[in-house]
Amino acid sequence: PPAPDVLSTPEMNCSPVELPAKCGEAVELLLLGHNAIRAEVVELMTAVSAIKDKGENASDRQFAGFFKWWSEFVEHLHVHIELEDEVVLPFLRRHPFEAGQLSQLASGTDHTSLFLQLNTIGSFKRQIGRNKNKKLGETLFAYLSDFVKHILLHCSDTESVALAIIKQLSPSSSAKLAENMHERLRESRYLETLALMLRGTAKQLQKDYISRKLKKQEAIKYRIVKLNLEHKRSVTLELAYKDGRDEKDTPSGEQDLWTN
């Protein structure tokens, strides 16, 4: 289905930010992470809009598909926020900057309200099966719209401050920050987030990154994680976008993916 009209408004513009030429790997990784978030919220809004438009004809299985997908997005966002809070900010605090710059960045990365919104939207899963699907679809659309505005503002604010700060680093310090970020992304728990970050990039960029930054065993694990991620996405998309089906029509492998 097409993206909802609300995404064409300036405050919900999800267009990816173009990577500046010779921006350095630290800036590149930050923007790739934010562009992955932008791409995911387009898919989430499109799914919820399709469900909302069905009114009472929306099926419980469609909502179940959305919330399975939502839980994946929440995990990705938590991992991305950890990268900012545990790697980027501590590194920048060890370097001298103009007064107020780091406090401005820390303020822009205050994630408490984002977590509250994530939890609130996730809690609506308990409404499935209560035969109020029209109301649930409308509620989800409203709350998700508010969240999307918030996360997009967060991304743009963080970029405007963080990029200016990172550009003040010496080439060696900038390279060290990038290596710290790469090191975190190579961890097993982060590989799915890395796959999402690279998902919307050119194939050559993906190949270059994997060959330069991942060891052989890490690259093998990454490809397995990426294939699993794409399969989970296709399963949840099918559930969220299509009308309800009987349990016997469940695609092969769906139960294995979601029962753990």
Side-chain angles (χ1 to χ4, degrees):
D5 291 341
V6 68
L7 290 180
S8 63
T9 60
E11 63 184 348
M12 296 183 75
N13 178 14
C14 298
S15 300
V17 174
E18 187 174 348
L19 302 181
K22 299 180 180 179
C23 62
E25 291 185 357
V27 170
E28 183 179 84
L29 286 173
L30 184 67
L31 291 179
L32 285 176
H34 285 180
N35 283 345
I37 292 170
R38 291 179 172 104
E40 288 300 298
V41 298
V42 169
E43 299 284 5
L44 289 163
M45 284 296 298
T46 302
V48 169
S49 178
I51 292 172
K52 177 179 71 73
D53 289 346
K54 290 183 179 294
E56 290 298 343
N57 291 323
S59 69
D60 291 347
R61 287 178 60 79
Q62 285 178 285
F63 284 105
F66 167 80
F67 282 110
K68 288 170 182 175
W69 190 3
W70 177 253
S71 67
E72 290 289 313
F73 171 75
V74 169
E75 176 62 19
H76 162 59
L77 192 57
H78 273 279
V79 167
H80 176 80
I81 286 172
E82 283 179 13
L83 188 66
E84 289 183 355
D85 286 350
E86 299 178 9
V87 178
V88 178
L89 271 173
F91 183 90
L92 295 178
R93 287 194 182 105
R94 297 197 295 268
H95 293 75
F97 294 104
E98 293 180 12
Q101 278 191 304
L102 282 179
S103 61
Q104 187 180 359
L105 178 59
S107 175
T109 54
D110 178 8
H111 301 120
T112 303
S113 57
L114 284 174
F115 289 146
L116 287 173
Q117 287 181 296
L118 292 173
N119 292 338
T120 299
I121 292 172
S123 71
F124 294 137
K125 182 179 179 179
R126 295 193 293 267
Q127 300 298 320
I128 296 176
R130 298 188 178 184
N131 298 319
K132 296 181 179 179
N133 286 351
K134 181 176 185 294
K135 182 178 180 181
L136 179 56
E138 293 171 347
T139 301
L140 262 182
F141 186 83
Y143 276 79
L144 184 61
S145 297
D146 287 341
F147 168 78
V148 170
K149 293 174 187 176
H150 188 178
I151 192 64
L152 292 176
L153 182 62
H154 163 80
C155 287
S156 61
D157 285 351
T158 302
E159 287 161 3
S160 64
V161 179
L163 269 58
I165 291 176
I166 293 172
K167 287 178 182 177
Q168 297 176 49
L169 294 173
S170 67
S172 60
S173 293
S174 181
K176 179 60 177 174
L177 172 58
E179 183 52 39
N180 290 352
M181 297 169 75
H182 288 305
E183 185 176 352
R184 181 63 68 95
L185 289 168
R186 286 195 293 266
E187 295 178 12
S188 295
R189 180 169 174 256
Y190 282 73
L191 284 177
E192 189 165 287
T193 293
L194 178 60
L196 282 170
M197 288 171 63
L198 296 177
R199 190 172 186 271
T201 63
K203 288 186 177 181
Q204 190 58 49
L205 189 153
Q206 296 180 36
K207 291 175 64 176
D208 289 346
Y209 184 94
I210 293 169
S211 64
R212 285 187 296 110
K213 297 300 180 182
L214 300 183
K215 298 175 183 178
K216 184 177 180 180
Q217 287 301 115
E218 291 171 339
I220 292 172
K221 187 180 293 185
Y222 169 82
R223 291 186 176 95
I224 294 171
V225 167
K226 180 183 177 183
L227 287 172
N228 192 44
L229 171 68
E230 292 301 329
H231 183 50
K232 286 192 289 187
R233 285 175 62 89
S234 68
V235 168
T236 52
L237 276 170
E238 184 176 349
L239 283 173
Y241 289 153
K242 293 188 177 181
D243 291 329
R245 300 165 303 173
D246 295 331
E247 286 294 328
K248 65 182 180 181
D249 294 328
T250 299
S252 176
E254 179 180 327
Q255 295 299 326
D256 293 336
L257 280 171
W258 297 110
T259 52
N260 294 328

